[in-house]
Amino acid sequence: MSAFLSEYIKFIALYFKSKDVMVFNGLIGLGTVVGQTAYNILAFNCPCLPKKNYLYGLAAIGVPALAFFVIGVMLNQNTWDIVSECRSRRCRKLSVTAAFALLGSTVGRAVVAPVTWTVISLLRGEAYVCAFSEFMNPSFLDDFFITTPGPEIMAQFPCKDVPALFMNYSGEVERKLKYESQLLGWLLVGIFSLAIFLLLCLKNCCSPLGYHQEAYWSQYCSSEQVFFQRTAEVHAKYHAAENVKSFFGFVALEDQEKQLLDDCKGIKSVIPRLEWNRITGVYMYRESDNTPIYSRLSKWDMYTTEHDC
């Protein structure tokens, strides 16, 4: 039984590892839902004043979404690879296909949290009701008073702080605005889902790779990133230990670190800047004819070189 559970746990771990992007995006979406719900419960407080309602409601929907998008772009490694490419080579060797792939990867991951925040805000409806209550035309209400209330009265409906004459219409006004808000939310879900489907179709149509090559490339990129980060950490530790030893004459290391650094003897102590530049940005180039031989970010050029990697 224990062996079966162990194998089952390994299978689940391998499955989630192969779907790491989906799991990561799912966790981002779930965290955004929790954060948005907590914000509405703990912090959202409509001012219920003309002109201020509109600004407050739109800010509650748009500003966090914009902040999430900017943070998502900043935390994406592809962003800084593009910046490095443009800084070092002025994007002269960045192909249109690679640029499209990089942009899609960067923006695609960055919009998960903003879209989730916007959709949940619209489906809950509080911010929309606050923003547009003062612009609502009350003529659709049955048996409404001949004297039409102004924006000052309509702006008070989200807070239920309206004169007694209009209190009976509070629930109907809120239902009408939440209907509009949720309709926009579901339309956004449909548009975003359709856009994802069309982009995936475009990606597969433009890709020179087959399905199995795509799967292989994804596995290769994941493995390469893991090995690169792990090796870079060990190399940095080894170089730091050598510098400290040259200064003090010795270096205090744990037993595990001593064994690790002993295994690394003979490695490059310093990596020239030219070599760093070759893997900084989008491409690594062959020295003889300056053509790309391998790309950390673009599968297109990896599989269209004359060597057919």
Side-chain angles (χ1 to χ4, degrees):
M1 186 64 179
S2 60
F4 173 77
L5 289 176
S6 176
E7 291 298 323
Y8 182 76
I9 293 173
K10 288 181 180 179
F11 173 77
I12 295 295
L14 288 174
Y15 174 81
F16 281 109
K17 185 177 180 181
S18 64
K19 306 292 183 182
D20 55 346
V21 175
M22 295 176 59
V23 172
F24 182 71
N25 289 339
L27 291 176
I28 290 178
L30 180 61
T32 306
V33 171
V34 173
Q36 206 282 335
T37 304
Y39 168 75
N40 274 305
I41 295 175
L42 302 176
F44 185 81
N45 189 16
C46 185
C48 295
L49 294 172
K51 298 182 180 179
K52 292 185 178 180
N53 279 17
Y54 181 71
L55 295 176
Y56 186 85
L58 291 186
I61 297 174
V63 173
L66 178 61
F68 282 134
F69 178 76
V70 173
I71 293 173
V73 172
M74 285 171 39
L75 295 179
N76 196 314
Q77 179 184 339
N78 291 354
T79 302
W80 307 114
D81 282 309
I82 295 175
V83 171
S84 298
E85 172 72 17
C86 294
R87 179 185 61 84
S88 60
R89 289 182 278 271
R90 302 293 187 270
C91 295
R92 290 190 298 268
K93 303 197 180 228
L94 178 61
S95 65
V96 176
T97 307
F100 177 78
L102 287 169
L103 183 63
S105 175
T106 303
V107 175
R109 294 185 182 185
V111 298
V112 173
V115 170
T116 303
W117 180 277
T118 304
V119 167
I120 297 301
S121 297
L122 291 174
L123 292 180
R124 291 183 62 90
E126 287 92 342
Y128 186 92
V129 171
C130 177
F132 292 96
S133 59
E134 62 181 290
F135 302 107
M136 183 177 175
N137 184 5
S139 61
F140 81 96
L141 299 171
D142 296 332
D143 301 326
F144 205 74
F145 295 99
I146 298 177
T147 304
T148 302
E152 294 79 7
I153 300 297
M154 298 303 298
Q156 296 175 11
F157 272 97
C159 299
K160 309 293 192 297
D161 187 19
V162 294
L165 294 175
F166 305 102
M167 184 61 68
N168 293 334
Y169 300 96
S170 178
E172 194 168 351
V173 169
E174 184 176 353
R175 282 194 298 272
K176 174 68 166 55
L177 290 173
K178 283 194 172 182
Y179 154 76
E180 296 176 358
S181 178
Q182 293 180 2
L183 180 62
L184 289 175
W186 287 120
L187 285 175
L188 182 59
V189 171
I191 292 172
F192 189 67
S193 301
L194 181 61
I196 292 176
F197 172 72
L198 293 177
L199 287 174
L200 288 176
C201 290
L202 180 62
K203 170 193 167 186
N204 290 323
C205 289
C206 297
S207 174
L209 309 181
Y211 173 77
H212 293 293
Q213 286 177 302
E214 287 274 3
Y216 172 82
W217 172 256
S218 299
Q219 185 63 43
Y220 169 82
C221 288
S222 177
S223 300
E224 183 196 49
Q225 184 68 20
V226 170
F227 291 143
F228 186 88
Q229 294 294 339
R230 189 187 303 165
T231 306
E233 181 181 356
V234 174
H235 186 278
K237 188 177 293 186
Y238 177 84
H239 190 45
E242 289 294 316
N243 285 338
V244 172
K245 185 176 181 180
S246 66
F247 184 81
F248 288 105
F250 76 101
V251 58
L253 297 173
E254 301 289 343
D255 292 338
Q256 185 178 1
E257 292 174 335
K258 289 180 181 179
Q259 180 63 38
L260 180 63
L261 296 183
D262 286 340
D263 295 338
C264 295
K265 286 190 176 175
I267 66 174
K268 294 180 180 179
S269 59
V270 177
I271 300 176
R273 182 175 180 179
L274 179 61
E275 295 189 23
W276 277 112
N277 287 340
R278 290 193 185 119
I279 64 167
T280 299
V282 180
Y283 300 108
M284 177 181 284
Y285 295 94
R286 188 187 299 116
E287 292 183 6
S288 58
D289 53 3
N290 203 35
T291 57
I293 58 174
Y294 131 91
S295 168
R296 290 188 296 126
L297 302 174
S298 173
K299 57 178 167 285
W300 323 102
D301 296 280
M302 176 179 178
Y303 284 97
T304 54
T305 56
E306 60 184 8
H307 294 288
D308 291 330
C309 297

